[in-house]
């Protein structure tokens, strides 16, 4: 089908979605405080790039390395599963400093710290406030304000970044309540997706991303990397994840055919220890590739596919073929939710 005609059909089918969704871009003091503590703890998900943020922490704030907040983070992260997305999802439930009071809830109640150790989280919250309010750290926050502005301006300079919510909504056929992009100069070169229920009962969606390089010791967020590799991917979780839960039984039936020992190893290497999350990740990477091909360049999409194949996610290519039916029949499948059970049947 002619690409122009396809886009017209998409716009017509989505006319009920209303105004274009806004992408909020920030550097969040809560995340930066948390990851400064993580930095002093040599946390494995702090990025490897030397930058002015890390240099300042290392050279001028060494006195905070012995802070109790750092010791508690070490116990929570190494002993009680307080790592990966769980750390940022935890702190996004709280108000800003200095109060840091819990005012929101996680969208999905996946267990993190065991019930009999939850008191450690409350202790950590109190110590995190003290860490944030320390005179040294407050001076650090003032010093990095110009840097934060420079980093956000660099990302904002892209002509396509504000269009990403529309690209996602047109592909999946529905809206999310909000799109919140949090840049973190300390997070690893990758990201997390989190969903939080606010005081009004609304679902807030977050993508938290780290830089993939630095220029003159200023963290750099490469346009292609964060827009196609990360933002489309991380926000895409909020469209795709609910479906793997809804069709959990049907997805599980695919495991005997596809979940080979080789794919298990690949999944574990990427941080996914269950078949349903490996499948979910494969599907999400496939949809990200197709959106990239439609909205950016075929060459960028090809690079993404080549990368997936290079790490052992070659099954993405088979899913891409099935997704063509969805993309060429949007009058029949107005939303991705409608096509999801069809995709599972095709894979069987």
């Amino acid at each position: 089908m002619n690409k122009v005609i396809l886009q017209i059909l998409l716009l017509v089918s989505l006319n009920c979605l209303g105004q274009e969704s806004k992408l909020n871009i920030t550097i969040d003091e809560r995340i930066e405080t948390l990851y400064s503590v993580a930095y002093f703890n040599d946390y494995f998900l702090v990025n490897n790039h030397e930058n002015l943020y890390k240099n300042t922490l290392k050279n001028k704030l060494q006195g905070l390395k012995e802070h109790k907040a750092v010791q508690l983070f070490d116990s929570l992260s190494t002993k009680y599963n307080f790592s990966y997305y769980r750390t940022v999802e935890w702190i996004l439930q709280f108000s800003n400093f200095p109060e840091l009071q819990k005012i929101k809830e996680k969208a999905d109640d996946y267990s993190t710290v065991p019930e009999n150790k939850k008191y450690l989280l409350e202790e950590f919250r109190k110590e995190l406030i003290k860490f944030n309010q320390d005179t040294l750290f407050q001076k650090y926050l003032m010093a990095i304000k110009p840097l934060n502005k420079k980093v956000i301006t660099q990302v904002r300079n892209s002509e396509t970044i504000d269009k990403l919510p529309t690209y996602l909504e047109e592909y999946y056929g529905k809206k999310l309540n909000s799109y919140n992009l949090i840049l973190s100069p300390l997070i690893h070169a990758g990201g997390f997706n989190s969903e939080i229920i606010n005081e009004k009962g609304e679902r807030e969606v977050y993508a938290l991303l780290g830089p993939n390089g630095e220029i003159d010791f200023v963290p750099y967020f490469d346009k292609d990397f964060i827009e196609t590799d990360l933002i489309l991917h991380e926000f895409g979780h909020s469209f795709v994840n609910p479906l793997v839960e809804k069709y959990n039984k049907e997805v599980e039936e695919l495991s005997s055919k596809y979940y080979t020992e080789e794919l298990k190893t690949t999944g574990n290497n990427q941080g996914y220890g269950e078949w349903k999350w490996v499948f979910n990740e494969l599907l999400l990477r496939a949809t990200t590739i197709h959106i990239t091909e439609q909205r950016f360049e075929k060459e960028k999409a090809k690079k993404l596919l080549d990368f997936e194949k290079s790490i052992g996610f070659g099954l993405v290519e088979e899913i891409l073929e099935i997704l063509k039916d969805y993309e060429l029949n949007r009058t029949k499948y107005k939303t991705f939710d409608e096509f999801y059970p069809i995709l599972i049947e095709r894979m069987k």
Side-chain angles (χ1 to χ4, degrees), residues 147-317:
L147 271 178
N148 289 347
K149 185 176 180 180
K150 188 172 184 178
V151 169
I152 292 174
T153 300
Q154 177 248 311
V155 171
R156 273 281 182 211
N157 281 338
S158 167
E159 294 179 358
T160 51
I161 194 164
D162 286 320
K163 299 176 182 177
L164 297 181
T166 298
Y167 296 168
L168 287 160
E169 290 172 357
E170 291 185 354
Y171 187 86
Y172 291 109
K174 62 180 184 181
K175 287 176 72 77
L176 299 179
N177 183 63
S178 67
Y179 296 84
N180 303 287
L181 173 60
I182 296 178
L183 306 172
S184 173
L186 296 176
I187 285 180
H188 67 289
F192 305 110
N193 165 269
S194 291
E195 294 191 18
I196 304 295
I197 305 299
N198 66 22
E199 304 95 315
K200 298 178 181 178
E202 299 167 332
R203 187 177 291 251
E204 298 176 346
V205 180
Y206 294 85
L208 295 94
L209 306 182
N212 64 316
E214 52 82 22
I215 296 178
D216 295 331
F217 293 102
V218 176
Y220 184 72
F221 293 79
D222 178 73
K223 175 186 180 301
D224 289 346
F225 178 69
I226 72 164
E227 291 189 21
T228 58
D229 287 37
L230 292 181
I231 297 177
L232 291 177
H233 180 103
E234 295 303 336
F235 283 131
H237 273 290
S238 295
F239 292 96
V240 175
N241 286 17
L243 295 170
V244 79
E245 298 288 4
K246 181 178 179 180
Y247 295 97
N248 184 52
K249 181 181 177 183
E250 291 83 352
V251 169
E252 194 56 40
E253 290 173 358
L254 298 174
S255 64
S256 59
K257 180 177 181 181
Y258 294 105
Y259 202 30
T260 62
E261 289 301 319
E262 183 179 357
L263 188 53
K264 285 180 183 178
T265 300
T266 300
N268 285 327
N269 289 341
Q270 296 296 316
Y272 308 102
E274 296 179 55
W275 159 246
K276 74 173 182 178
W277 297 121
V278 172
F279 171 75
N280 193 66
E281 194 66 19
L282 290 165
L283 177 56
L284 181 56
R285 294 180 186 213
T287 57
T288 299
I289 288 170
H290 266 311
I291 298 172
T292 299
E293 183 176 26
Q294 291 172 2
R295 299 298 188 167
F296 294 89
E297 299 170 7
K298 286 188 176 181
E299 186 58 33
K300 290 180 183 177
K302 183 179 182 302
K303 286 181 180 179
L304 289 178
L305 176 57
D306 289 344
F307 171 75
E308 303 303 351
K309 292 162 74 172
S310 73
I311 63 171
F313 276 171
L315 186 54
V316 165
E317 194 163 27

Side-chain angles (χ1 to χ4, degrees), residues 63-233:
L64 292 176
K65 190 175 177 66
E66 303 303 319
H67 198 284
K68 190 176 179 181
V70 179
Q71 299 169 18
L72 282 168
F73 183 85
D74 181 71
S75 295
L76 286 164
S77 61
T78 57
K79 298 177 182 177
Y80 303 118
N81 210 26
F82 189 64
S83 58
Y84 292 101
Y85 70 91
R86 302 176 189 91
T87 58
V88 295
E89 194 168 66
W90 172 79
I91 203 165
L92 288 174
Q93 297 174 73
F94 293 87
S95 63
N96 294 326
F97 289 103
E99 291 80 11
L100 204 67
Q101 295 292 326
K102 186 172 180 180
I103 57 174
K104 303 178 183 180
E105 299 290 337
K106 292 186 295 181
D108 300 300
D109 191 24
Y110 296 123
S111 61
T112 52
V113 177
E115 283 298 325
N116 64 339
K117 297 295 180 180
K118 288 285 177 72
Y119 70 92
L120 291 176
L121 282 174
E122 176 57 18
E123 285 187 27
F124 180 56
R125 183 189 71 84
K126 292 176 180 177
E127 291 300 326
L128 203 58
I129 293 172
K130 294 177 184 177
F131 183 96
N132 174 271
Q133 294 299 295
D134 187 278
T135 302
L136 275 178
F137 195 73
Q138 285 298 310
K139 287 182 179 178
Y140 165 77
L141 291 176
M142 289 296 294
I144 63 173
K145 272 190 175 181
L147 271 178
N148 289 347
K149 185 176 180 180
K150 188 172 184 178
V151 169
I152 292 174
T153 300
Q154 177 248 311
V155 171
R156 273 281 182 211
N157 281 338
S158 167
E159 294 179 358
T160 51
I161 194 164
D162 286 320
K163 299 176 182 177
L164 297 181
T166 298
Y167 296 168
L168 287 160
E169 290 172 357
E170 291 185 354
Y171 187 86
Y172 291 109
K174 62 180 184 181
K175 287 176 72 77
L176 299 179
N177 183 63
S178 67
Y179 296 84
N180 303 287
L181 173 60
I182 296 178
L183 306 172
S184 173
L186 296 176
I187 285 180
H188 67 289
F192 305 110
N193 165 269
S194 291
E195 294 191 18
I196 304 295
I197 305 299
N198 66 22
E199 304 95 315
K200 298 178 181 178
E202 299 167 332
R203 187 177 291 251
E204 298 176 346
V205 180
Y206 294 85
L208 295 94
L209 306 182
N212 64 316
E214 52 82 22
I215 296 178
D216 295 331
F217 293 102
V218 176
Y220 184 72
F221 293 79
D222 178 73
K223 175 186 180 301
D224 289 346
F225 178 69
I226 72 164
E227 291 189 21
T228 58
D229 287 37
L230 292 181
I231 297 177
L232 291 177
H233 180 103

